[in-house]
Amino acid sequence: MTPQRLLSLLKGVVFLVCLLPLGLLVLHGFQNNLGPDPIVTITHGTGFATLRLLVITLAISPVRHLWVRLSWLIRFRRMLGLFAFFYGCLHLLTYVWLFSGFHLSTMIADITKRRFIMVGFTAWILMLPLALTSTKWAIKKLGGKRWRALHRLIYISAICGVIHYWWIVKPGVRTPMKITVVLAVLLAARPAWALLQARRSGARAPERA
Amino acid sequence: MLIKKAADIPSSEITPQSAYLNRRTFMRGAAAMGILGLGGDGISKLVAPRRTVAADSKLTTVPSPLSDKGETVTPFQDVTSYNNFYEFGVEKGDPLHNAWRMKTRPWTVTVDGLVKAKKTAGIDDLLKYRPLEERIYRHRCVEAWSMVIPWVGYSLSEFINWAEPLPSAKYIQFLTLEDTKTMPGLYQINLNWPYSEGLRMDEAMHPLALLTFGMYGQVLPNQDGAPVRVVVPWKYGFKSAKSIVHVRFTAKQPHTAWNDEAPQEYGFYSNVNPDVDRTPWSQKTERRIGLPFWKATQPSQMFNGYGDQVAQLYAGMDLKKFF
């Protein structure tokens, strides 16, 4: 098999795996097996999928830096990011539909009053321009530099997502800790890598002279 | 009522409890290995949610005029697999997974504080103290879900009369079991253990406040607060302390666990009130457990619908301030 064929095959597999959280929800929905509190099952299912996919998307760059042989992972980043946005939309839809019953006034009152909704909504809004500029055409149009700068919004979006999680659990509950630590490591990896690169080139400089 | 004679089951056929428990431990281990194999317990819970509960001994009850009529009772499976009992873990399914380790015999409840004399009662004496009534109550959690549960017990006032508090006693405090050997949740969340809850004396003496030993006609399953708990149906669920070992009568308002943790969110009174939401989420509606997702949401009621009976307890009080 050519590397190109292998890559498209892998892409297909990853695509199906990304659909799994939704597939399971739909399957259990039809079996009437979403648990005692189905609305919460759906809300948590889509919310966790969003956060996990965001974190996986953010893991690709550090992994590529650490193992150059895994550089091809970059080919999966757009798909993973778009799936994060897709689950973010579904998560937002559970709120708009199942919690607010499509009542705009309820939602506006909620967004202004409840900080966990405000920060969650911010996380979604920040993903929106990234999803819209995910095409090759948009990259060309914006230019690589500006496109990269814009897409750094994912850092803020992911941080907002984790804060959203902390603000919805009861005080004292530490379940969001795991994903917080993972995100913190992935975010810290970026300046750490840059620093390391700067030091390396700094150390080499006298030799060159 | 037909009671099967013990002689109908030859003793040779009765599984020794230790073997039964070992079997459970084995299955738990096997399940855990399965979970690791699947690579995440979130997935395994979605694929095969654990919804089995061992049946327990029956209780004989008499009907009660204080029981709700016309409500659809929530399935037993849901009430026993989806609840909060933080001593056994912070997730809704944790109590079912972990509470079987708790030993509910022997069990005593100690009464002290402002009482004539300190007393201790064995659980079996408490069970026999008054006829057990079946009371179907709505149960409203502060997390905005609700159930309808047929509890078994008698009015807390009967117990208080037995305890003989002094006239100076203005509050009652419930302290619940804190056992690090059987309760993994004690390490998961840093509440002010042991769990403490309390009521004003007139609230506790209200006939709706129930000293509860069972539900669905049988002994309380461990995860629902065995062997004895209180149920205060017009307040959020966390006011109804489970697995009580110690009752204290006080002159001053006792400290309570969730109020210690977040006083701005969980007030001492914590009456169900759709107009006051101190929590990050709204209290205007609730999700009735056991209904499909497109039918589950319904409006919440002041005092959880028990306003006719209990509103006079709070006459003249600003319920936005004393939330």
Side-chain angles (χ1 to χ4, degrees):
Chain A
M1 204 184 296
T2 63
Q4 208 51 49
R5 291 269 322 260
L6 189 66
L7 196 69
S8 7
L9 191 74
L10 263 177
K11 270 191 173 176
V13 172
V14 171
F15 190 89
L16 289 176
V17 169
C18 286
L19 275 176
L20 207 60
L22 175 66
L24 282 174
L25 283 176
V26 171
L27 179 72
H28 288 297
F30 275 112
Q31 292 173 336
N32 196 16
N33 193 21
L34 285 170
D37 200 344
I39 294 182
V40 160
T41 308
I42 297 166
T43 309
H44 286 182
T46 52
F48 285 136
T50 312
L51 270 179
R52 282 179 190 154
L53 281 161
L54 268 178
V55 163
I56 292 169
T57 309
L58 281 171
I60 286 181
S61 287
V63 168
R64 286 174 69 228
H65 287 312
L66 278 178
W67 296 285
V68 181
R69 295 185 63 184
L70 294 177
S71 284
W72 49 271
L73 281 175
I74 191 74
R75 308 297 265 303
F76 293 85
R77 194 169 66 177
R78 171 164 54 188
M79 194 208 300
L80 291 166
L82 280 173
F83 263 114
F85 177 68
F86 171 67
Y87 281 105
C89 292
L90 289 179
H91 188 62
L92 179 68
L93 182 67
T94 62
Y95 167 71
V96 170
W97 175 22
L98 300 174
F99 283 90
S100 312
F102 296 109
H103 288 298
L104 196 65
S105 54
T106 317
M107 283 184 266
I108 291 169
D110 246 6
I111 288 184
T112 48
K113 198 171 158 193
R114 303 183 195 290
R115 56 179 194 168
F116 87 96
I117 294 178
M118 214 185 303
V119 75
F121 192 63
T122 306
W124 181 82
I125 287 279
L126 290 174
M127 279 198 281
L128 189 61
L130 311 194
L132 292 176
T133 58
S134 62
T135 58
K136 276 196 180 123
W137 179 83
I139 299 173
K140 259 188 202 150
K141 204 83 182 155
L142 278 168
K145 223 179 193 175
R146 270 195 293 171
W147 186 88
R148 269 199 298 278
L150 176 69
H151 279 246
R152 291 211 175 97
L153 283 178
I154 192 179
Y155 305 147
I156 305 170
S157 177
I159 291 169
C160 285
V162 167
I163 294 173
H164 171 69
Y165 189 5
W166 278 109
W167 279 350
I168 190 63
V169 298
K170 280 193 192 165
V173 174
R174 290 178 288 239
T175 40
M177 191 52 96
K178 240 192 281 176
I179 197 138
T180 308
V181 169
V182 174
L183 179 67
V185 168
L186 291 177
L187 291 182
R190 289 165 160 85
W193 177 255
L195 203 71
L196 205 70
Q197 289 298 94
R199 270 215 193 152
R200 269 191 199 157
S201 52
R204 272 191 217 118
E207 285 175 29
R208 264 189 235 132
Chain B
M1 196 176 139
L2 183 83
I3 299 170
K4 207 174 188 187
K5 274 179 291 178
D8 289 351
I9 308 166
S11 61
S12 59
E13 280 187 15
I14 299 171
T15 310
Q17 197 183 14
S18 60
Y20 168 73
L21 291 176
N22 279 336
R23 188 177 149 269
R24 286 191 132 193
T25 316
F26 168 76
M27 282 166 61
R28 234 163 271 278
M33 277 156 67
I35 286 164
L36 288 174
L38 276 167
D41 75 343
I43 292 174
S44 85
K45 273 180 194 158
L46 269 175
V47 173
R50 182 195 297 271
R51 305 192 68 186
T52 52
V53 181
D56 227 314
S57 33
K58 293 257 178 286
L59 292 173
T60 311
T61 61
V62 295
S64 164
L66 294 169
S67 192
D68 287 341
K69 284 157 200 78
E71 292 276 11
T72 307
V73 167
T74 305
F76 179 75
Q77 291 285 11
D78 291 340
V79 179
T80 50
S81 65
Y82 187 86
N83 68 325
N84 288 313
F85 196 158
Y86 276 59
E87 283 83 340
F88 294 114
V90 298
E91 302 288 345
K92 298 283 173 303
D94 288 347
L96 170 64
H97 285 260
N98 298 325
W100 59 277
R101 290 189 185 87
M102 177 170 65
K103 290 189 182 68
T104 56
R105 292 290 187 288
W107 189 282
T108 55
V109 178
T110 304
V111 174
D112 64 8
L114 300 173
V115 284
K116 261 194 188 153
K118 185 178 165 174
K119 284 185 185 181
T120 298
I123 185 66
D124 293 306
D125 296 326
L126 284 175
L127 259 164
K128 278 179 259 168
Y129 181 63
R130 282 289 179 267
L132 298 173
E133 298 167 26
E134 176 161 276
R135 304 244 192 118
I136 300 173
Y137 284 162
R138 286 178 294 277
H139 179 85
R140 170 63 157 78
C141 179
V142 72
E143 294 166 345
W145 52 265
S146 64
M147 297 174 167
V148 178
I149 305 170
W151 301 107
V152 176
Y154 48 78
S155 286
L156 178 61
S157 60
E158 305 272 10
F159 172 82
I160 294 174
N161 291 335
W162 168 80
E164 297 181 289
L166 299 173
S168 53
K170 297 284 178 268
Y171 293 89
I172 182 170
Q173 181 184 21
F174 306 100
L175 293 156
T176 78
L177 184 69
E178 180 189 17
D179 178 15
T180 49
K181 284 197 283 297
T182 58
M183 295 176 147
L186 296 172
Y187 302 104
Q188 287 178 21
I189 175 166
N190 194 25
L191 286 186
N192 192 0
W193 305 115
Y195 194 81
S196 165
E197 257 310 333
L199 298 167
R200 220 169 54 191
M201 199 58 111
D202 58 339
E203 297 178 313
M205 291 298 287
H206 194 283
L208 279 176
L210 192 70
L211 191 70
T212 307
F213 303 91
M215 61 185 212
Y216 296 83
Q218 30 182 293
V219 165
L220 279 173
N222 281 5
Q223 64 269 29
D224 291 283
V228 59
R229 63 175 295 172
V230 285
V231 171
V232 193
W234 68 94
K235 292 174 179 282
Y236 294 120
F238 68 88
K239 292 296 291 181
S240 297
K242 302 186 194 78
S243 305
I244 296 166
V245 292
H246 187 170
V247 175
R248 191 184 278 157
F249 292 90
T250 62
K252 280 188 190 149
Q253 184 176 303
H255 85 90
T256 58
W258 281 108
N259 185 252
D260 292 342
E261 179 66 26
Q264 73 286 358
E265 288 186 23
Y266 309 109
F268 176 79
Y269 287 94
S270 284
N271 294 312
V272 176
N273 188 344
D275 301 324
V276 174
D277 27 69
R278 295 295 186 127
T279 47
W281 53 89
S282 165
Q283 298 293 359
K284 282 198 169 45
T285 59
E286 61 199 55
R287 304 180 304 279
R288 183 57 59 83
I289 298 303
L291 295 183
F293 69 85
W294 59 91
K295 280 195 224 162
T297 305
Q298 50 190 67
S300 291
Q301 304 176 71
M302 187 68 203
F303 297 116
N304 201 22
Y306 298 98
D308 287 348
Q309 290 111 299
V310 301
Q312 92 280 352
L313 293 171
Y314 311 99
M317 276 174 76
D318 179 1
L319 294 177
K320 285 207 160 70
K321 191 174 164 210
F322 297 98
F323 60 90

